[in-house]
Amino acid sequence: MGSLVQVVNWANGTTLAGLALARATGCGVRRREGFYEASGYRHRYPLAGAFTIGSVVLTRQPLSAGVWQHELGHVRQYAFCGPMFLPLYGLAAGWSWLRCGDWWSRNVFEQRAGLAAGGYTENPVRRFGRRRRGGPAAASAIA
């Protein structure tokens, strides 16, 4: 499965983009389990300690085995989604933010990569339409 994922991510251009970003940001790149770990990422965005582009995992420091496995889940997702992964991930993160107030709890990509392995704690879903006391709904009821 790993070699097929590698081939697909090279073919869809995402691994090349990941290696270019790693080089542009001064990361040291090494092979790990047939994929690439680019350590030393120092930029503020994204806030996560690691993120994936194609078959390249960019990280601020070397990853534990659990977080590495989580990131490999994203590598496989890139093979399925190709360059559309980033906009789809953004939509999923927005949905999670609306539902839980964080970008991971209801993000299908993070769930399928394994929330716990990635170091995430799942937060409960907030109900839609819930009104707060003293908010706009209360003010309009008074008026």
Side-chain angles (χ1 to χ4, degrees), residues 20-95:
L21 180 61
R23 181 176 175 96
T25 57
C27 293
V29 178
R30 71 179 184 106
R31 298 281 287 188
R32 183 170 174 181
E33 296 179 32
F35 300 101
Y36 300 96
E37 182 177 21
S39 298
Y41 186 81
R42 289 176 181 59
H43 294 273
R44 291 182 358 180
Y45 184 80
L47 298 176
F51 66 100
T52 302
I53 299 179
S55 294
V56 183
V57 178
L58 292 101
T59 178
R60 299 180 193 294
Q61 57 194 5
L63 299 177
S64 68
V67 175
W68 175 253
Q69 290 305 310
H70 172 85
E71 294 301 324
L72 289 184
H74 294 312
V75 168
R76 289 186 292 275
Q77 292 165 356
Y78 265 98
F80 183 77
C81 297
M84 289 302 298
F85 177 84
L86 285 176
L88 291 171
Y89 185 94
L91 289 171
W95 174 252

Side-chain angles (χ1 to χ4, degrees), residues 1-8 35 76 79:
M1 179 71 161
S3 61
L4 177 59
V5 167
Q6 292 170 343
V7 168
V8 170
F35 300 101
R76 289 186 292 275

Side-chain angles (χ1 to χ4, degrees), residues 84-133:
M84 289 302 298
F85 177 84
L86 285 176
L88 291 171
Y89 185 94
L91 289 171
W95 174 252
S96 184
W97 187 264
L98 284 173
R99 298 301 292 141
C100 300
D102 64 50
W103 52 269
W104 59 85
S105 290
R106 287 298 175 270
N107 181 329
V108 66
F109 295 102
E110 292 298 342
Q111 289 177 334
R112 295 209 175 172
L115 288 173
Y120 298 110
T121 302
E122 187 172 356
N123 291 310
V125 172
R126 300 184 291 191
R127 291 189 336 189
F128 283 129
R130 188 177 209 172
R131 295 186 180 172
R132 297 181 184 172
R133 291 185 186 164

